[in-house]
Amino acid sequence: MTDGDLLTDANLLTDHPALYEARFPDAERLAGRWAEDCLRRYDAGPRVLDMGCGTGRDAAHLHSAGRTVTGADLSEAMLSYARDRHPGPSFVRADLHGFDLGGFDAVVCLDSSLLYCHTNDQLDGFLASCRRALAPGGLLVAEMRNGAYFLGRTDLLDRPRVDSFTWRGTAYRSTTTLTVDRTAQLLRRTRVWTTDDGSRPVEQRSAWRLLFPQELRRFLAAHGFEVLELHDGPGPRTEPPWQQGGLPGTAADADRLHVVARLHTH
């Protein structure tokens, strides 16, 4: 396969939300249930902003738990899909690098959405926006990849991983390779999609910021947040996954990172 054989589409899954949910199913709503568990543990108020809400399924679960939820995303395709399927929450377009939304008791940011803040300025913009969005004492709940996992570990790097599934009668195959860009402190992902329907292969490139636990603590403190929890699991994407009633751990060594922080009241 040559570059001329590839179509480049940086937003294949974002532009096709139903395909995204087929590739990343969450029938048990683990992510939403885990977030709700965190909110209940610290007596968060009812008003929640789900930043990077995607297809809206986590926002819908939080709504079903009795909360008043606003889902925010940059993708119009995702927002349209969410509005069609989840009438409870409200959905708005916003950029996590800087947004002007307010009146919330909690901000939830799941599935590594926070790591699309690639630079320090972007991360500062996100946290400053969260500070403005939250009432005093409000919570930030986030779940993401753990940069510390890649210190000395290469088991997830430079080895193509193949996944396949069938959606609407078409077989999809994705070949994903992760590499570390140490200078930019990014985990870069190249994913090539092929199908059995004769379509040309599609190459998708994206990246996440590699944030380390102590670095994240420092950023949060600089924006007026007190870290209540910072651990590697259990969580919705850990193995074994979080189960109802599971308490947070104390280590930060595995490949996922879970954070609950409270905005200072003064």
Side-chain angles (χ1 to χ4, degrees):
M1 186 185 304
T2 66
D3 290 346
D5 299 321
L6 289 171
L7 292 175
T8 334
D9 183 350
N11 299 296
L12 179 67
L13 294 181
T14 302
D15 289 346
H16 301 86
L19 180 61
Y20 176 94
E21 289 200 335
R23 173 63 184 86
F24 299 109
D26 186 10
E28 297 182 2
R29 295 296 183 261
L30 272 176
R33 287 168 49 213
W34 174 82
E36 173 61 20
D37 187 72
C38 293
L39 297 176
R40 286 182 181 273
R41 190 158 56 249
Y42 292 101
D43 298 317
R47 302 166 300 172
V48 177
L49 172 63
D50 181 7
M51 197 66 212
C53 66
T55 62
R57 58 191 179 186
D58 300 327
H61 178 81
L62 293 170
H63 172 81
S64 72
R67 301 191 181 275
T68 302
V69 184
T70 298
D73 204 280
L74 197 57
S75 166
E76 289 288 4
M78 286 287 195
L79 291 170
S80 178
Y81 183 93
R83 292 184 188 110
D84 286 346
R85 284 156 182 79
H86 305 297
S90 61
F91 294 97
V92 299
R93 189 172 189 269
D95 187 341
L96 65 87
H97 297 157
F99 52 90
D100 187 15
L101 302 169
F104 297 100
D105 301 302
V107 175
V108 170
C109 192
L110 305 178
D111 199 24
S112 295
S113 293
L114 185 151
L115 302 185
Y116 289 106
C117 295
H118 290 174
T119 68
N120 290 346
D121 285 347
Q122 290 173 349
L123 186 54
D124 282 329
F126 169 76
L127 292 173
S129 298
C130 288
R131 186 178 66 243
R132 292 191 299 269
L134 286 169
L139 293 183
L140 171 61
V141 177
E143 182 271 335
M144 69 200 85
R145 285 183 175 272
N146 180 12
Y149 183 81
F150 297 93
L151 292 172
R153 291 189 180 95
T154 60
D155 56 296
L156 299 180
L157 301 176
D158 305 313
R159 294 180 177 87
R161 171 181 167 176
V162 177
D163 293 286
S164 58
F165 65 99
T166 299
W167 178 64
R168 295 181 178 176
T170 298
Y172 286 78
R173 174 187 170 99
S174 64
T175 302
T176 305
T177 306
L178 300 176
T179 58
V180 169
D181 181 339
R182 292 178 177 83
T183 301
Q185 204 170 310
L186 294 176
L187 182 66
R188 297 193 181 276
R189 178 181 66 187
T190 301
R191 177 175 286 157
V192 177
W193 291 93
T194 56
T195 64
D196 65 353
D197 64 357
S199 300
R200 291 170 62 187
V202 174
E203 183 180 76
Q204 176 186 358
R205 294 179 181 269
S206 56
W208 297 281
R209 169 74 176 264
L210 287 175
L211 275 176
F212 304 105
Q214 293 300 328
E215 179 185 23
L216 183 55
R217 284 183 183 274
R218 180 72 172 177
F219 271 100
L220 287 165
H223 286 274
F225 286 91
E226 174 193 4
V227 174
L228 305 175
E229 297 178 12
L230 193 154
H231 59 90
D232 57 13
R237 286 185 172 271
T238 61
E239 189 57 48
W242 172 85
Q243 295 182 356
Q244 194 71 43
L247 295 176
T250 56
D253 185 62
D255 65 334
R256 305 301 293 189
L257 197 61
H258 311 82
V259 180
V260 181
R262 189 189 302 281
L263 184 64
H264 289 303
T265 56
H266 57 275

